[in-house]
Amino acid sequence: KLNSEIDTSLLVSETVKAQDARLTALYLEGKYIISPDSKFRRRWDILQAIILVYISLVVPVRVGYKLSAEGPYYVLELAMDLYFYIDVVLNFFTGYHDDVEGLVVMN
């Protein structure tokens, strides 16, 4: 009986170590990955929605009246363009929801 208890405790101990190693590996894989549910990502998406509303209102007026962006508006719209370039790169480092498995994929 003593040998079987020792064998069982060793098996449980090794299983726990293996699970810890897998969790550590998953953490390291997702070290530079942004959670799609994070506060940062929500704020980033809200800012993007605000910028899109601005663009949807201003661009038709500019095209219709043949106006160009000048002064502070030029700088603002340049910053918006930069925002969208950064967003493309950021999307490569953001996890996603797997609807089939019901999981958030972070690698």
Side-chain angles (χ1 to χ4, degrees):
K1 183 176 179 182
L2 186 58
N3 285 339
S4 65
E5 287 178 9
I6 292 172
D7 290 342
T8 305
S9 68
L10 285 174
L11 180 61
V12 169
S13 175
E14 291 302 317
T15 303
V16 169
K17 285 180 186 176
Q19 287 175 344
D20 285 346
R22 274 184 265 158
L23 288 174
T24 301
L26 286 174
Y27 172 75
L28 290 175
E29 280 181 16
K31 186 174 181 181
Y32 298 107
I33 303 298
I34 300 166
S35 170
D37 301 322
S38 70
K39 208 181 259 190
F40 167 77
R41 190 61 200 194
R42 282 190 212 133
R43 289 178 181 166
W44 184 264
D45 290 341
I46 289 169
L47 180 59
Q48 186 171 23
I50 293 168
I51 292 172
L52 288 172
V53 168
Y54 173 84
I55 290 171
S56 67
L57 295 174
V58 171
V59 168
V61 172
R62 289 247 170 88
V63 171
Y65 292 107
K66 297 180 183 174
L67 301 172
S68 62
E70 296 176 1
Y73 293 108
Y74 178 78
V75 174
L76 176 66
E77 292 181 15
L78 192 62
M80 289 181 191
D81 290 341
L82 181 62
Y83 174 90
F84 285 114
Y85 293 134
I86 293 170
D87 184 58
V88 169
V89 174
L90 195 65
N91 282 322
F92 285 106
F93 296 97
T94 302
Y96 64 93
H97 293 275
D98 184 356
D99 295 331
V100 176
E101 296 290 327
L103 299 172
V104 176
V105 180
M106 297 289 287
N107 58 5

